[in-house]
Amino acid sequence: MSVDSQVDTQDADLQLIDALARGELRIAARLITRIESGDSSVASILSKLHARGGNTTVLGVTGPPGAGKSTLVDRLLQQFRHRGQRVAVLAVDPSSPFSGGAILGDRIRMNQHSADEGVFIRSMAARGRLGGLAVAAGDALQVLDAMGWDLIVVETVGVGQSEIDILRHAHTVVIVQTPASGDAVQSVKAGLLEVGDIFVVNKADTAGADRMQSNLREATAFRADPHDPACWLPPVLKTQATYGSGIDAVIEAIDAHTHHRLTHPARWAQRLRAQMRVLLLEQLIDLQRRRTVEDPAHQQRFERALDEVLARRCDPHTAARKLLDASE
Amino acid sequence: MSQSPMPQSKIRCLLGMLGTDVHSKGIRTLAQLLRDRGVEVIYLGEHNTARGMINATIAEDADLVGLSFSTATYLHYTRDLMEQMRAAGLGDVPVMLGGLIHADDEPALREMGVRGIFGPGSTMDQIVAFLQSATGKTLPSGISASGA
Amino acid sequence: MSGDGQDDALRAAGIQAHLDDVSVKLSRTATWSGLETKASYGPEDVAETDYARDLGDPGEYPYTRGAYSQMYRSRMWTLRNIVGYGSPEDTREGIENALKMGTAGINVVIDTLSQEAIDPDHPILSADAGQEGCSLPMVSDLEILLRGIDVTKTDIAWHSTMMTYPLVAAMATRQGKDLSQLQGSHMPDHLQLRLGGWSEAIVPAGLGHRTTVDCIEYSAKHSPRWALGCPQAYDIRERGMTAAGEIAIGMAIINQTFGDLIARGMHVDQVAPSMAWVSTSDIDFFEEIAKFRALRRVWARTMKERFGSVDPRSQRLRLACHTSGRSLVYQQPLNNLSRAAVQTLAALLGGVQSVETCTYDEPICIPTEEARELATRTQQILANEIGAARTADPLGGSYYVESLTNQVEAEALAMLAKIEAIGLIKAIEDGTIESLMDDYNYRHHKELETQQRIVVGVNKYMPKTSTLPKRFRFDPTRMTAHIERFKQRKAGRDAQALAQRIDALYRIARRRENSHQAMIDALVADATIGEVWGTVRCANDLPYDPFKAIESPFTYTKP
């Protein structure tokens, strides 16, 4: 790359960052599209965004399909807007494993905010990215962060590991369950029990809500640290998001968690480090996967190695190591 | 099934209805059929305003916008949306119409800038071909659409 | 090979193609809803059916064979024809024309805006005013529509849900009439609206259902002669549902509604005799007949066994039927005359109490006068020439029809159990029922694509030419004047009296009490339907205007 073009890129990046800071929605939206499509030319801008980033509080909301996440987010948005906060939402949905297409329908539940300039909603399909999903979502969150929203909400279906990993970008994580989700320990992925800061039993008017609530309390009891009375013990709340009931308590819990985070900086630094560790590892694996598998130049080599393994001329361990060496 | 396909440039298509028209059966089915062809459908449902649809088009960076109508007011609502889209700097985003669109209204719709018109009897292949030509993106071919 | 030989080959191929096109082959052995059918049926297929227990004579429990013993000999079905477009004056003209043509009674459909309880001067939706029905935003508009017609003496069938009963009751009140003498009918089923595309934005399931229960409770107590078309299963079916699904979802709505009415201290026999099931007659002839018969049986047993009815009038279900609009197609629309005729026949053989036959141009536009007349003539041919009305349940005892009746019933009860295990309101709110509809429509589309299902003119036997019939058009002048008049009326009201009534409504709705009297009072004081429903919405923590283009013009006292 020539010196000139480097300067151009620098200028272009800075202009882009300025545009984001001015809240130019279309520019932000297009940048997210480039991130989604794996466009490697966004690397330099992402690097700059990272250097300046981490300013906006990110609220993660997750739960199984049909738990009422979008409705809950809609109700939370109502309250945030009422307080004058300007909010961006990143809604991540699964893609069809058959076609790679998707129906992204979260906006419907949030339609009452459709004409509100203080709300920005972006849908994102998982696109079968395995681990790369959390990376792409994290990059999209960086873009939103640069736009100066007062709050960012990331909503995701808590089914796979990659969805759970998205939550590692969040400062506060809300896990939504319903009485129909069944046994708490079975239905809440072990990972979620660890990352959740607030648990919500939605559709609390259906049978089994109290049982679900107490099950969740038991299941999260391990989070209490007898040596540290000031540690955060996740509250387990009941809501009926469709009717707006119980939402105030969720807002209070979110505020309390934020307060706890700000008043315990050492603990927060520790958590941030742990989160970033996972994400960096993730990034590493994703990069390696792309290098050794997805890059067309290496694809052939991968297939040949696969042949060798199938023919039992080489074992998988050795084959993997060879591929890794070859990709250096 | 192939492992982890490279993230790629997908067609992102906004689908929704304007005004008080409640006949969303067709557009709901279309959303499923487009998903089967590899399209990312951002589904807005019924009862949208032009303003809301434009905000969604921007935030979602949609490649195109699809509307469905089954009441006679489509000329009015489409004209209004097209004008507001142009004013919002979205004049380059292709718009397609489906539903109960009468052939004798096509010239007026084209005049407004509507690029795709799919009245009764239109086929999925026609719609998919339009999606590809209007966006310049290709959809994966040969998908056996048994996702349901 | 010579050129002549090639020509011959081509011509032969052409003839073969032509023969293929006109020859009729069995294209499907399953019913339109997907129930598999055998090549023939015999006594072994109905061995389990007990005549007295499962069928009964016509007019006897469980009413499988019909609601009345003499059926059409004692009373012919009511030949209905819906009218409604533009301003109240436009629709009034349409009603008068329909009556001249031989339609019994007055059947009114209201426009999409009024159906959603939105006023015609809405800043972004005004274009929808007068579309697909009559614009009726205030009592004074109703007075124009029904000038000279006594609503305590004339049976008017309203094909609408939101605000209809309060509007009619308010007009009667203003005219000093006794509400207990009110006649007519409407379709108070708000859950059907929610499922039919009104969506959570316009009619949230919880609020909608409560409004249905309020409306039925109020009208049953104050206007016992007012009839209720509930469930409105027609639109549910049209939206994407099987014959069995129509029974399942309709019964789920009925069970939920009666359960709630009983919890309010009412008895099933206070309400059920005023009710009629609003059904469709779809394209699968035998399946529809089986559906009507199975439905009467399910209804009778539910009323008696589940709700403890002792009044036969509650147990014998009356059916109001409209032939299927979804089965009609845009391509070669005159074919729709055949479809609608067979559907009407199925309804009669299934023993319905009223039928509206769709006009052949329904897939194209608001019915033209000519199409309307042909729909009426279709029914007259069936009544006078075909002999469809000669005897009750003419297909009763047919091995196939009895077996299919049992099959539809079993499928319906299984689906009902699944819905009730989730809870109807939850199953609507969480999209379970919508998914059932989506799946149905998706499957239907796939079967058309693969020709597992053939619709003439759509995926086979394409018409050679495509001449379309005339589109209905009406002069918008009156509509424009109507909206102007509406604005003037609003400006000329007693603002203080109105504000008081509206505030009273707000407080009652806020307390989740039955707000129908308060709605009527507000409408009497010249409130508009948009103002009344908007206030109810506010009281339920919803935006006044679902499109958020207008704020409530009223101040509400928070209780």
Side-chain angles (χ1 to χ4, degrees), chain A residues 26 29-30 33 36-37 98-102 104 107-108 114 121-123 125 127 294, chain B residues 4 7-8 10 12 35-36 38-43 55 58-61 89-90 147:
Chain A
R26 222 180 164 193
R30 283 179 169 163
T33 303
E36 281 199 282
S37 49
F98 299 98
S99 69
L104 308 169
R107 296 189 81 95
I108 297 184
S114 66
I121 302 165
R122 172 64 179 236
S123 317
R127 296 192 185 177
E294 288 164 358
Chain B
S4 180
Q8 50 183 277
K10 297 268 185 183
R12 287 171 65 85
R35 175 206 54 202
D36 288 351
V39 176
E40 285 183 1
V41 175
I42 298 123
Y43 182 67
N55 287 348
I58 293 172
E60 301 291 355
D61 191 23
L90 295 174

mmCIF file of all heavy atoms in Angstrom, chain A residues 26 29-30 33 36-37 98-102 104 107-108 114 121-123 125 127 294, chain B residues 4 7-8 10 12 35-36 38-43 55 58-61 89-90 147:
data_model
loop_
_atom_site.group_PDB
_atom_site.id
_atom_site.type_symbol
_atom_site.label_atom_id
_atom_site.label_comp_id
_atom_site.label_asym_id
_atom_site.label_seq_id
_atom_site.Cartn_x
_atom_site.Cartn_y
_atom_site.Cartn_z
ATOM 1 N N ARG A 26 -27.611 6.708 7.963
ATOM 2 C CA ARG A 26 -27.418 5.884 6.781
ATOM 3 C C ARG A 26 -25.971 5.400 6.681
ATOM 4 O O ARG A 26 -25.709 4.266 6.281
ATOM 5 C CB ARG A 26 -27.812 6.663 5.528
ATOM 6 C CG ARG A 26 -28.583 5.775 4.591
ATOM 7 C CD ARG A 26 -29.026 6.393 3.334
ATOM 8 N NE ARG A 26 -29.404 5.305 2.418
ATOM 9 C CZ ARG A 26 -29.608 5.478 1.138
ATOM 10 N NH1 ARG A 26 -29.472 6.675 0.596
ATOM 11 N NH2 ARG A 26 -29.940 4.450 0.382
ATOM 12 N N ALA A 29 -25.561 2.647 9.162
ATOM 13 C CA ALA A 29 -26.233 1.433 8.706
ATOM 14 C C ALA A 29 -25.413 0.724 7.634
ATOM 15 O O ALA A 29 -25.309 -0.500 7.614
ATOM 16 C CB ALA A 29 -27.625 1.784 8.181
ATOM 17 N N ARG A 30 -24.813 1.541 6.743
ATOM 18 C CA ARG A 30 -24.012 0.932 5.667
ATOM 19 C C ARG A 30 -22.733 0.294 6.210
ATOM 20 O O ARG A 30 -22.299 -0.742 5.727
ATOM 21 C CB ARG A 30 -23.665 1.988 4.623
ATOM 22 C CG ARG A 30 -24.852 2.261 3.740
ATOM 23 C CD ARG A 30 -24.541 3.304 2.731
ATOM 24 N NE ARG A 30 -25.601 3.352 1.734
ATOM 25 C CZ ARG A 30 -25.781 4.373 0.906
ATOM 26 N NH1 ARG A 30 -24.975 5.407 0.955
ATOM 27 N NH2 ARG A 30 -26.754 4.341 0.036
ATOM 28 N N THR A 33 -23.579 -2.980 7.501
ATOM 29 C CA THR A 33 -23.733 -3.937 6.395
ATOM 30 C C THR A 33 -22.374 -4.482 5.962
ATOM 31 O O THR A 33 -22.224 -5.687 5.716
ATOM 32 C CB THR A 33 -24.435 -3.270 5.193
ATOM 33 O OG1 THR A 33 -25.693 -2.763 5.638
ATOM 34 C CG2 THR A 33 -24.652 -4.256 4.055
ATOM 35 N N GLU A 36 -21.275 -6.936 8.434
ATOM 36 C CA GLU A 36 -22.047 -8.174 8.305
ATOM 37 C C GLU A 36 -21.567 -9.027 7.151
ATOM 38 O O GLU A 36 -21.597 -10.252 7.224
ATOM 39 C CB GLU A 36 -23.519 -7.836 8.045
ATOM 40 C CG GLU A 36 -24.288 -7.431 9.253
ATOM 41 C CD GLU A 36 -25.764 -7.572 9.002
ATOM 42 O OE1 GLU A 36 -26.318 -6.690 8.327
ATOM 43 O OE2 GLU A 36 -26.357 -8.575 9.443
ATOM 44 N N SER A 37 -21.172 -8.364 6.047
ATOM 45 C CA SER A 37 -20.796 -9.158 4.883
ATOM 46 C C SER A 37 -19.319 -9.549 4.913
ATOM 47 O O SER A 37 -18.809 -10.078 3.941
ATOM 48 C CB SER A 37 -21.160 -8.417 3.598
ATOM 49 O OG SER A 37 -20.685 -7.110 3.656
ATOM 50 N N PHE A 98 -31.113 -23.993 6.115
ATOM 51 C CA PHE A 98 -31.309 -24.592 4.791
ATOM 52 C C PHE A 98 -30.930 -23.639 3.672
ATOM 53 O O PHE A 98 -30.297 -24.020 2.712
ATOM 54 C CB PHE A 98 -32.759 -25.028 4.612
ATOM 55 C CG PHE A 98 -33.181 -26.056 5.617
ATOM 56 C CD1 PHE A 98 -33.879 -25.686 6.759
ATOM 57 C CD2 PHE A 98 -32.860 -27.387 5.440
ATOM 58 C CE1 PHE A 98 -34.260 -26.627 7.693
ATOM 59 C CE2 PHE A 98 -33.238 -28.339 6.367
ATOM 60 C CZ PHE A 98 -33.933 -27.957 7.500
ATOM 61 N N SER A 99 -31.359 -22.392 3.809
ATOM 62 C CA SER A 99 -31.181 -21.461 2.690
ATOM 63 C C SER A 99 -30.230 -20.327 3.017
ATOM 64 O O SER A 99 -29.772 -19.625 2.123
ATOM 65 C CB SER A 99 -32.536 -20.857 2.311
ATOM 66 O OG SER A 99 -32.988 -19.986 3.335
ATOM 67 N N GLY A 100 -29.948 -20.098 4.300
ATOM 68 C CA GLY A 100 -29.145 -18.935 4.666
ATOM 69 C C GLY A 100 -29.966 -17.665 4.732
ATOM 70 O O GLY A 100 -29.469 -16.618 5.114
ATOM 71 N N GLY A 101 -31.237 -17.745 4.348
ATOM 72 C CA GLY A 101 -32.117 -16.580 4.463
ATOM 73 C C GLY A 101 -32.632 -16.453 5.890
ATOM 74 O O GLY A 101 -32.299 -17.256 6.760
ATOM 75 N N ALA A 102 -33.431 -15.427 6.113
ATOM 76 C CA ALA A 102 -33.948 -15.221 7.467
ATOM 77 C C ALA A 102 -35.188 -14.354 7.415
ATOM 78 O O ALA A 102 -35.381 -13.588 6.462
ATOM 79 C CB ALA A 102 -32.892 -14.553 8.338
ATOM 80 N N LEU A 104 -36.538 -11.523 9.745
ATOM 81 C CA LEU A 104 -36.180 -10.710 10.900
ATOM 82 C C LEU A 104 -37.424 -9.900 11.275
ATOM 83 O O LEU A 104 -37.772 -8.947 10.603
ATOM 84 C CB LEU A 104 -34.996 -9.812 10.553
ATOM 85 C CG LEU A 104 -33.800 -10.564 9.938
ATOM 86 C CD1 LEU A 104 -32.777 -9.591 9.361
ATOM 87 C CD2 LEU A 104 -33.150 -11.484 10.956
ATOM 88 N N ARG A 107 -38.767 -5.989 14.671
ATOM 89 C CA ARG A 107 -39.238 -4.597 14.580
ATOM 90 C C ARG A 107 -40.734 -4.483 14.821
ATOM 91 O O ARG A 107 -41.206 -3.461 15.298
ATOM 92 C CB ARG A 107 -38.914 -4.004 13.204
ATOM 93 C CG ARG A 107 -37.474 -3.885 12.879
ATOM 94 C CD ARG A 107 -37.286 -3.083 11.599
ATOM 95 N NE ARG A 107 -37.367 -1.672 11.861
ATOM 96 C CZ ARG A 107 -36.305 -0.897 12.090
ATOM 97 N NH1 ARG A 107 -35.103 -1.402 12.027
ATOM 98 N NH2 ARG A 107 -36.451 0.379 12.353
ATOM 99 N N ILE A 108 -41.487 -5.534 14.441
ATOM 100 C CA ILE A 108 -42.952 -5.453 14.589
ATOM 101 C C ILE A 108 -43.322 -5.173 16.034
ATOM 102 O O ILE A 108 -44.161 -4.329 16.316
ATOM 103 C CB ILE A 108 -43.616 -6.767 14.150
ATOM 104 C CG1 ILE A 108 -43.347 -7.014 12.682
ATOM 105 C CG2 ILE A 108 -45.118 -6.712 14.406
ATOM 106 C CD1 ILE A 108 -44.037 -8.235 12.167
ATOM 107 N N SER A 114 -41.434 3.315 15.702
ATOM 108 C CA SER A 114 -40.954 3.345 14.315
ATOM 109 C C SER A 114 -40.702 4.758 13.800
ATOM 110 O O SER A 114 -39.861 4.957 12.944
ATOM 111 C CB SER A 114 -41.933 2.623 13.397
ATOM 112 O OG SER A 114 -43.151 3.338 13.346
ATOM 113 N N ILE A 121 -33.206 0.999 15.418
ATOM 114 C CA ILE A 121 -33.258 -0.459 15.539
ATOM 115 C C ILE A 121 -32.615 -1.094 14.313
ATOM 116 O O ILE A 121 -32.970 -0.771 13.181
ATOM 117 C CB ILE A 121 -34.721 -0.959 15.667
ATOM 118 C CG1 ILE A 121 -35.405 -0.303 16.876
ATOM 119 C CG2 ILE A 121 -34.762 -2.487 15.796
ATOM 120 C CD1 ILE A 121 -36.914 -0.442 16.890
ATOM 121 N N ARG A 122 -31.681 -1.982 14.536
ATOM 122 C CA ARG A 122 -31.043 -2.680 13.433
ATOM 123 C C ARG A 122 -31.166 -4.182 13.675
ATOM 124 O O ARG A 122 -30.827 -4.668 14.756
ATOM 125 C CB ARG A 122 -29.564 -2.291 13.350
ATOM 126 C CG ARG A 122 -28.743 -3.094 12.358
ATOM 127 C CD ARG A 122 -29.215 -2.875 10.922
ATOM 128 N NE ARG A 122 -28.395 -3.649 10.007
ATOM 129 C CZ ARG A 122 -27.739 -3.115 8.984
ATOM 130 N NH1 ARG A 122 -27.806 -1.820 8.745
ATOM 131 N NH2 ARG A 122 -27.012 -3.881 8.196
ATOM 132 N N SER A 123 -31.638 -4.899 12.669
ATOM 133 C CA SER A 123 -31.740 -6.352 12.773
ATOM 134 C C SER A 123 -30.507 -6.984 12.147
ATOM 135 O O SER A 123 -29.960 -6.466 11.185
ATOM 136 C CB SER A 123 -32.970 -6.857 12.026
ATOM 137 O OG SER A 123 -34.079 -6.039 12.270
ATOM 138 N N ALA A 125 -28.926 -10.911 11.040
ATOM 139 C CA ALA A 125 -29.140 -12.361 10.968
ATOM 140 C C ALA A 125 -27.851 -13.077 11.327
ATOM 141 O O ALA A 125 -26.760 -12.600 10.999
ATOM 142 C CB ALA A 125 -29.593 -12.753 9.571
ATOM 143 N N ARG A 127 -26.530 -15.732 10.169
ATOM 144 C CA ARG A 127 -25.813 -16.168 8.956
ATOM 145 C C ARG A 127 -24.879 -17.347 9.175
ATOM 146 O O ARG A 127 -23.826 -17.424 8.538
ATOM 147 C CB ARG A 127 -25.014 -15.008 8.343
ATOM 148 C CG ARG A 127 -25.906 -13.880 7.860
ATOM 149 C CD ARG A 127 -25.169 -12.886 6.998
ATOM 150 N NE ARG A 127 -26.045 -11.760 6.661
ATOM 151 C CZ ARG A 127 -25.664 -10.704 5.975
ATOM 152 N NH1 ARG A 127 -24.431 -10.608 5.538
ATOM 153 N NH2 ARG A 127 -26.502 -9.737 5.713
ATOM 154 N N GLU A 294 -11.815 -21.060 5.127
ATOM 155 C CA GLU A 294 -12.717 -20.332 4.245
ATOM 156 C C GLU A 294 -12.007 -19.605 3.109
ATOM 157 O O GLU A 294 -12.594 -19.380 2.062
ATOM 158 C CB GLU A 294 -13.562 -19.351 5.073
ATOM 159 C CG GLU A 294 -14.598 -20.124 5.886
ATOM 160 C CD GLU A 294 -15.205 -19.310 7.008
ATOM 161 O OE1 GLU A 294 -14.792 -18.148 7.188
ATOM 162 O OE2 GLU A 294 -16.072 -19.848 7.697
ATOM 163 N N SER B 4 -20.195 -23.521 8.161
ATOM 164 C CA SER B 4 -19.903 -22.108 8.249
ATOM 165 C C SER B 4 -19.583 -21.430 6.922
ATOM 166 O O SER B 4 -18.426 -21.157 6.621
ATOM 167 C CB SER B 4 -18.711 -21.917 9.191
ATOM 168 O OG SER B 4 -18.401 -20.554 9.304
ATOM 169 N N PRO B 7 -19.386 -15.387 5.497
ATOM 170 C CA PRO B 7 -20.356 -14.300 5.536
ATOM 171 C C PRO B 7 -20.342 -13.627 4.181
ATOM 172 O O PRO B 7 -19.280 -13.431 3.594
ATOM 173 C CB PRO B 7 -19.824 -13.380 6.624
ATOM 174 C CG PRO B 7 -19.001 -14.263 7.495
ATOM 175 C CD PRO B 7 -18.432 -15.307 6.595
ATOM 176 N N GLN B 8 -21.483 -13.329 3.664
ATOM 177 C CA GLN B 8 -21.499 -12.801 2.310
ATOM 178 C C GLN B 8 -22.513 -11.684 2.209
ATOM 179 O O GLN B 8 -23.229 -11.403 3.140
ATOM 180 C CB GLN B 8 -21.875 -13.923 1.352
ATOM 181 C CG GLN B 8 -23.133 -14.633 1.864
ATOM 182 C CD GLN B 8 -23.508 -15.799 1.014
ATOM 183 O OE1 GLN B 8 -24.139 -15.618 0.022
ATOM 184 N NE2 GLN B 8 -23.160 -17.001 1.397
ATOM 185 N N LYS B 10 -25.686 -10.431 1.437
ATOM 186 C CA LYS B 10 -27.038 -10.982 1.275
ATOM 187 C C LYS B 10 -27.956 -9.900 0.727
ATOM 188 O O LYS B 10 -27.700 -8.710 0.902
ATOM 189 C CB LYS B 10 -27.574 -11.395 2.642
ATOM 190 C CG LYS B 10 -26.783 -12.482 3.313
ATOM 191 C CD LYS B 10 -27.350 -13.833 2.986
ATOM 192 C CE LYS B 10 -26.607 -14.897 3.778
ATOM 193 N NZ LYS B 10 -27.061 -16.231 3.453
ATOM 194 N N ARG B 12 -31.001 -7.893 1.440
ATOM 195 C CA ARG B 12 -31.846 -7.540 2.597
ATOM 196 C C ARG B 12 -33.077 -6.815 2.086
ATOM 197 O O ARG B 12 -32.983 -5.747 1.514
ATOM 198 C CB ARG B 12 -31.064 -6.656 3.582
ATOM 199 C CG ARG B 12 -29.995 -7.439 4.357
ATOM 200 C CD ARG B 12 -29.088 -6.536 5.153
ATOM 201 N NE ARG B 12 -29.755 -5.810 6.218
ATOM 202 C CZ ARG B 12 -29.981 -6.303 7.437
ATOM 203 N NH1 ARG B 12 -29.605 -7.534 7.723
ATOM 204 N NH2 ARG B 12 -30.580 -5.575 8.354
ATOM 205 N N ARG B 35 -37.315 -16.160 2.321
ATOM 206 C CA ARG B 35 -36.326 -16.742 3.242
ATOM 207 C C ARG B 35 -35.784 -18.047 2.656
ATOM 208 O O ARG B 35 -34.591 -18.316 2.684
ATOM 209 C CB ARG B 35 -36.966 -17.015 4.602
ATOM 210 C CG ARG B 35 -36.042 -17.740 5.577
ATOM 211 C CD ARG B 35 -36.814 -18.535 6.607
ATOM 212 N NE ARG B 35 -37.752 -19.441 5.980
ATOM 213 C CZ ARG B 35 -38.826 -19.946 6.586
ATOM 214 N NH1 ARG B 35 -39.097 -19.602 7.821
ATOM 215 N NH2 ARG B 35 -39.633 -20.772 5.955
ATOM 216 N N ASP B 36 -36.684 -18.846 2.090
ATOM 217 C CA ASP B 36 -36.267 -20.115 1.482
ATOM 218 C C ASP B 36 -35.305 -19.923 0.319
ATOM 219 O O ASP B 36 -34.574 -20.836 -0.040
ATOM 220 C CB ASP B 36 -37.489 -20.878 0.961
ATOM 221 C CG ASP B 36 -38.320 -21.456 2.082
ATOM 222 O OD1 ASP B 36 -37.862 -21.417 3.234
ATOM 223 O OD2 ASP B 36 -39.425 -21.948 1.794
ATOM 224 N N GLY B 38 -33.019 -17.648 0.354
ATOM 225 C CA GLY B 38 -31.779 -17.070 0.860
ATOM 226 C C GLY B 38 -31.811 -15.569 1.104
ATOM 227 O O GLY B 38 -30.785 -14.954 1.334
ATOM 228 N N VAL B 39 -33.004 -14.986 1.065
ATOM 229 C CA VAL B 39 -33.117 -13.546 1.290
ATOM 230 C C VAL B 39 -33.255 -13.280 2.793
ATOM 231 O O VAL B 39 -33.884 -14.049 3.512
ATOM 232 C CB VAL B 39 -34.354 -12.979 0.545
ATOM 233 C CG1 VAL B 39 -34.559 -11.496 0.834
ATOM 234 C CG2 VAL B 39 -34.223 -13.229 -0.950
ATOM 235 N N GLU B 40 -32.667 -12.188 3.248
ATOM 236 C CA GLU B 40 -32.925 -11.746 4.621
ATOM 237 C C GLU B 40 -34.084 -10.764 4.570
ATOM 238 O O GLU B 40 -33.969 -9.670 4.030
ATOM 239 C CB GLU B 40 -31.673 -11.095 5.228
ATOM 240 C CG GLU B 40 -30.637 -12.136 5.616
ATOM 241 C CD GLU B 40 -29.408 -11.553 6.289
ATOM 242 O OE1 GLU B 40 -29.343 -10.331 6.495
ATOM 243 O OE2 GLU B 40 -28.500 -12.353 6.598
ATOM 244 N N VAL B 41 -35.205 -11.208 5.098
ATOM 245 C CA VAL B 41 -36.418 -10.403 5.043
ATOM 246 C C VAL B 41 -36.566 -9.651 6.368
ATOM 247 O O VAL B 41 -36.570 -10.265 7.431
ATOM 248 C CB VAL B 41 -37.662 -11.289 4.835
ATOM 249 C CG1 VAL B 41 -38.935 -10.456 4.897
ATOM 250 C CG2 VAL B 41 -37.563 -12.038 3.516
ATOM 251 N N ILE B 42 -36.663 -8.348 6.282
ATOM 252 C CA ILE B 42 -36.983 -7.580 7.482
ATOM 253 C C ILE B 42 -38.474 -7.334 7.404
ATOM 254 O O ILE B 42 -38.960 -6.590 6.551
ATOM 255 C CB ILE B 42 -36.190 -6.256 7.541
ATOM 256 C CG1 ILE B 42 -34.695 -6.582 7.587
ATOM 257 C CG2 ILE B 42 -36.587 -5.449 8.768
ATOM 258 C CD1 ILE B 42 -33.906 -5.975 6.491
ATOM 259 N N TYR B 43 -39.210 -8.048 8.263
ATOM 260 C CA TYR B 43 -40.665 -8.053 8.127
ATOM 261 C C TYR B 43 -41.302 -7.030 9.061
ATOM 262 O O TYR B 43 -41.102 -7.080 10.271
ATOM 263 C CB TYR B 43 -41.202 -9.464 8.411
ATOM 264 C CG TYR B 43 -42.695 -9.539 8.241
ATOM 265 C CD1 TYR B 43 -43.260 -9.390 6.975
ATOM 266 C CD2 TYR B 43 -43.539 -9.711 9.328
ATOM 267 C CE1 TYR B 43 -44.627 -9.413 6.810
ATOM 268 C CE2 TYR B 43 -44.910 -9.740 9.173
ATOM 269 C CZ TYR B 43 -45.448 -9.596 7.906
ATOM 270 O OH TYR B 43 -46.800 -9.603 7.748
ATOM 271 N N ASN B 55 -37.624 5.082 8.046
ATOM 272 C CA ASN B 55 -36.653 4.896 9.138
ATOM 273 C C ASN B 55 -36.104 3.478 9.134
ATOM 274 O O ASN B 55 -34.904 3.266 9.330
ATOM 275 C CB ASN B 55 -37.306 5.197 10.494
ATOM 276 C CG ASN B 55 -37.535 6.680 10.694
ATOM 277 O OD1 ASN B 55 -37.026 7.504 9.936
ATOM 278 N ND2 ASN B 55 -38.322 7.029 11.697
ATOM 279 N N ILE B 58 -33.618 2.897 6.262
ATOM 280 C CA ILE B 58 -32.296 3.475 6.550
ATOM 281 C C ILE B 58 -31.549 2.606 7.566
ATOM 282 O O ILE B 58 -30.428 2.175 7.313
ATOM 283 C CB ILE B 58 -32.452 4.918 7.078
ATOM 284 C CG1 ILE B 58 -32.985 5.822 5.965
ATOM 285 C CG2 ILE B 58 -31.113 5.431 7.624
ATOM 286 C CD1 ILE B 58 -33.355 7.221 6.403
ATOM 287 N N ALA B 59 -32.193 2.336 8.701
ATOM 288 C CA ALA B 59 -31.495 1.626 9.776
ATOM 289 C C ALA B 59 -31.082 0.226 9.338
ATOM 290 O O ALA B 59 -30.023 -0.269 9.713
ATOM 291 C CB ALA B 59 -32.380 1.556 11.019
ATOM 292 N N GLU B 60 -31.917 -0.402 8.534
ATOM 293 C CA GLU B 60 -31.623 -1.771 8.116
ATOM 294 C C GLU B 60 -30.753 -1.808 6.869
ATOM 295 O O GLU B 60 -30.385 -2.880 6.403
ATOM 296 C CB GLU B 60 -32.922 -2.539 7.861
ATOM 297 C CG GLU B 60 -33.855 -2.637 9.076
ATOM 298 C CD GLU B 60 -33.306 -3.530 10.188
ATOM 299 O OE1 GLU B 60 -32.238 -4.148 9.968
ATOM 300 O OE2 GLU B 60 -33.919 -3.592 11.258
ATOM 301 N N ASP B 61 -30.465 -0.640 6.294
ATOM 302 C CA ASP B 61 -29.717 -0.564 5.044
ATOM 303 C C ASP B 61 -30.307 -1.560 4.035
ATOM 304 O O ASP B 61 -29.581 -2.353 3.429
ATOM 305 C CB ASP B 61 -28.225 -0.859 5.293
ATOM 306 C CG ASP B 61 -27.360 -0.523 4.085
ATOM 307 O OD1 ASP B 61 -27.795 0.309 3.265
ATOM 308 O OD2 ASP B 61 -26.275 -1.104 3.959
ATOM 309 N N GLY B 89 -33.668 10.984 0.646
ATOM 310 C CA GLY B 89 -32.438 10.537 -0.002
ATOM 311 C C GLY B 89 -32.415 9.055 -0.301
ATOM 312 O O GLY B 89 -31.372 8.447 -0.481
ATOM 313 N N LEU B 90 -33.598 8.429 -0.341
ATOM 314 C CA LEU B 90 -33.670 6.993 -0.606
ATOM 315 C C LEU B 90 -34.223 6.707 -2.006
ATOM 316 O O LEU B 90 -34.735 5.620 -2.257
ATOM 317 C CB LEU B 90 -34.562 6.311 0.436
ATOM 318 C CG LEU B 90 -34.086 6.328 1.896
ATOM 319 C CD1 LEU B 90 -35.148 5.735 2.797
ATOM 320 C CD2 LEU B 90 -32.787 5.558 2.044
ATOM 321 N N GLY B 147 -37.386 -25.760 4.314
ATOM 322 C CA GLY B 147 -37.060 -25.230 5.630
ATOM 323 C C GLY B 147 -38.170 -25.381 6.663
ATOM 324 O O GLY B 147 -37.926 -25.330 7.845
#
